[in-house]
RNA sequence: GGCCCCAUCAUCUAAUGGUUAGGAUUCAAGGUUUUCAUCCUUGCCAUAGGGGUUCGAAUCCCCUUGGGGUCACCA
């Protein structure tokens, strides 16, 4: 059975790049009927906090990503790590190193000055003398000192490192006894039965180290997939300065989870010419082996297009529910269907939808001067007056077609084109020259409010002249 | 700087030795729409450069250039 994982360190919110590797791991597990587990890497006490872990969970919930089993917290597994640390010590595969930070720094400085690679020189590797006083030792692992290590990556193929270029006896436990990242990741992945690791390729250089730990512990290696990074417009790794990187910020901006997931799965992966993927399709089609080797640039325009697509295809009840977090309450509004049908093809985000709905529901408080100038030349005022008369004298106005009939009657009576009434009426209703169909707007706000808005604009024209 | 990775339209990608290099987003034009948006049609735009191998190269090899990642008692 394939078991994948997502292992964030809770130092803040869930990052969009993290969400992507989580999604890919999730999809691959689901496609294979395997498991997708979650591990919180909270070993660094000073940087972690509970809110951050909760924020990650919230984002998972919003996205609809379900993990299997219980969450593993590294902070609760100290005893396990100690046990394996002791095992390596007992087997002579790791050792105490009494070098002080100052000595280490000095060594590194000297090496850098000599244009050598900064590395630990192994001075305590075979030490059996009396340890110096007053030094709390770190534990280092005996890493191979020659030869090569090859990572068999499922995306990039075989990558061979020269041990001499990249390794030294790296620290697996700090002087306070706390185990380090490359050590605990290995133990956890192995103990949790994770056999397929899908992670960002910024981890590629960690992999040889982790392989050293796997080997020392006699554990089976998982299959690795190192997914290329997401870059910003400048071609650099996406960072906080690049705008929205917090997954939950997308909720606030009015993006739908399905749009964001669809967008992320298509970054670096494709299936023929298909652009739209439902969750079910992703689960049955995604394969990490098909991921591109190159980094991809994060491009909001495609996300906007996808989001608009998903909004258009959402049913109105769901839409109304979602809009409540954007201060629009339509669930029991009697014109709900007309409103949403009129708006949902015009917005890229829920936030934008909310704005457009407010523009219809709220009486305009100001008029775009350019629109006024353009709409109110010639007989516009008297056309509007005729329209109001007709409106008042027509009974049973409910649906958009009813209002449309009134407009039609007026243009026929006066022998004018639709534009002659459409433009001034539009300015009266929403204050500008763009927006949904006039018949829809009037059906939503009703005869009384329509009349009021027309009277308002006529009054405003009177003031202006 | 050492090591590693990468390279097809502006962007996301397809084409696993033979295609007029395809699709999508963006942009532009036209149509539909009283307007705007949607939608439909059309258009613009790419194999980084140089050498090989081959009847034939975006595809395989080498070099160059460019970009990225990583080098902690962080994760």
């Amino acid at each position: 059975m394939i078991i994948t994982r997502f292992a964030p360190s809770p130092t803040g919110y869930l990052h969009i790049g993290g969400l992507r590797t989580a999604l890919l791991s999730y999809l691959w597990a689901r496609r294979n009927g395997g498991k997708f587990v979650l591990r919180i890497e909270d070993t660094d006490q000073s940087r972690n906090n509970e809110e951050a872990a909760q924020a990650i969970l919230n984002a998972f919930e919003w996205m609809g990503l379900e993990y299997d089993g219980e969450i593993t917290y590294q902070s609760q597994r100290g005893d396990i790590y100690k046990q394996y640390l002791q095992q390596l010590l007992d087997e002579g595969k790791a050792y105490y190193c009494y070098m002080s930070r100052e000595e280490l720094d000095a060594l590194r400085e000297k090496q850098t000055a000599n244009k050598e690679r900064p590395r630990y020189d192994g001075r305590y590797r075979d030490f059996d003398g009396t340890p110096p006083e007053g030094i709390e030792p770190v534990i280092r692992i005996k890493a191979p000192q020659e030869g090569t290590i090859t990572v068999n990556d499922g995306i990039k193929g075989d990558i061979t490192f020269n041990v001499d270029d990249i390794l030294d006896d790296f620290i697996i436990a700090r002087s306070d006894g706390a185990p380090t990242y490359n050590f605990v990741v290995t133990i956890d992945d192995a103990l949790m039965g994770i056999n397929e690791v899908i992670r960002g390729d910024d981890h590629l250089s960690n992999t040889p180290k982790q392989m050293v730990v796997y080997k020392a512990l006699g554990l089976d290696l998982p299959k690795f997939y190192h997914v290329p990074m997401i870059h910003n417009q400048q071609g650099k790794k996406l960072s906080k300065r690049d705008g929205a990187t917090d997954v939950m910020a997308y909720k606030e901006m009015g993006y739908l989870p399905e749009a964001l997931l669809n967008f992320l799965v298509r970054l670096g992966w494709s299936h023929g010419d298909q652009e739209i993927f439902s969750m079910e399709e992703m689960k049955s089609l995604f394969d990490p082996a098909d991921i591109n080797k190159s980094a991809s640039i994060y491009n909001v325009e495609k996300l906007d297009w996808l989001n608009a697509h998903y909004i258009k295809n959402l049913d109105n009840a769901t839409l109304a529910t979602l809009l409540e977090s954007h201060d629009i309450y339509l669930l029991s509004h009697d014109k709900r269907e007309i409103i949403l049908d009129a708006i949902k093809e015009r917005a890229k985000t829920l936030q934008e939808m909310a704005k457009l709905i407010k523009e219809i529901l709220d009486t305009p408080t100001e008029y775009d001067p350019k629109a006024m100038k353009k709409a109110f030349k010639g007989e516009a005022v008297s056309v509007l007056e005729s329209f109001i008369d007709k409106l008042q004298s027509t009974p049973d106005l409910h649906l958009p077609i009813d209002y449309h009939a009134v407009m039609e009657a007026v243009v026929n009576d006066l022998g004018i084109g639709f534009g002659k009434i459409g433009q001034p009426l539009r300015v009266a209703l929403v204050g500008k020259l763009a927006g949904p169909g006039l018949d829809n707007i009037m059906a939503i706000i009703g005869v009384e409010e329509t009349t009021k808005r027309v009277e308002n604009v006529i009054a405003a024209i009177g003031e202006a002249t």
Side-chain angles (χ1 to χ4, degrees), chain A residues 120-323:
Chain A
Y120 176 65
D121 60 7
R123 63 179 69 173
Y124 284 98
R125 191 177 228 250
D126 300 307
F127 181 73
D128 58 0
T130 312
E133 292 285 318
I135 301 274
E136 289 296 329
V138 299
I139 300 175
R140 291 182 181 269
I141 192 166
K142 285 184 180 169
Q145 294 174 303
E146 53 181 30
T148 58
I149 292 184
T150 298
V151 179
N152 306 117
D153 190 82
I155 294 172
K156 308 204 186 221
D158 288 356
I159 301 159
T160 299
F161 297 89
N162 203 329
V163 152
D164 192 48
D165 290 330
I166 57 158
L167 281 183
D168 60 4
D169 287 352
F170 57 94
I171 292 172
I172 54 175
R174 294 178 271 235
S175 45
D176 65 358
T180 59
Y181 173 75
N182 283 310
F183 185 69
V184 294
V185 164
T186 303
I187 289 179
D188 284 335
D189 280 344
L191 261 41
M192 292 165 76
I194 286 146
N195 46 26
E196 309 249 337
V197 172
I198 300 175
R199 62 182 11 164
D201 74 359
D202 49 345
H203 281 286
L204 191 54
S205 53
N206 281 324
T207 307
K209 290 184 181 178
Q210 291 169 21
M211 287 169 75
V212 167
V213 179
Y214 274 104
K215 191 167 182 210
L217 258 17
L219 298 165
D220 287 337
L221 226 49
K223 173 96 191 161
F224 290 106
Y225 298 90
H226 288 98
V227 182
M229 299 279 90
I230 301 176
H231 284 171
N232 61 19
Q233 299 291 340
Q234 287 74 42
K236 310 266 188 206
K237 195 171 161 182
L238 209 56
S239 78
K240 286 182 190 177
R241 279 185 301 178
D242 298 311
T245 50
D246 176 1
V247 169
M248 291 312 269
Y250 286 82
K251 186 179 186 189
E252 282 165 38
M253 290 186 287
Y255 288 93
L256 302 174
E258 45 270 55
L260 193 51
L261 294 176
N262 196 149
F263 172 71
L264 290 174
V265 84
R266 278 285 287 103
L267 229 43
W269 178 83
S270 65
H271 181 257
D273 287 341
Q274 189 171 346
E275 295 290 346
I276 307 293
F277 293 86
S278 68
M279 183 51 98
E280 289 312 307
E281 287 175 308
M282 289 185 213
K283 281 181 190 170
S284 64
L285 294 172
F286 177 73
D287 186 335
D290 297 333
I291 296 174
N292 266 274
K293 290 179 182 176
S294 54
S296 37
I297 292 174
Y298 176 91
N299 162 247
V300 182
E301 281 149 357
K302 195 121 182 191
L303 173 60
D304 282 345
W305 174 73
L306 281 165
N307 204 50
H309 169 85
Y310 281 103
I311 285 178
K312 265 178 276 183
N313 289 286
L314 218 52
D315 66 276
N316 290 341
T318 309
L319 220 36
T321 307
L322 293 173
L323 282 167

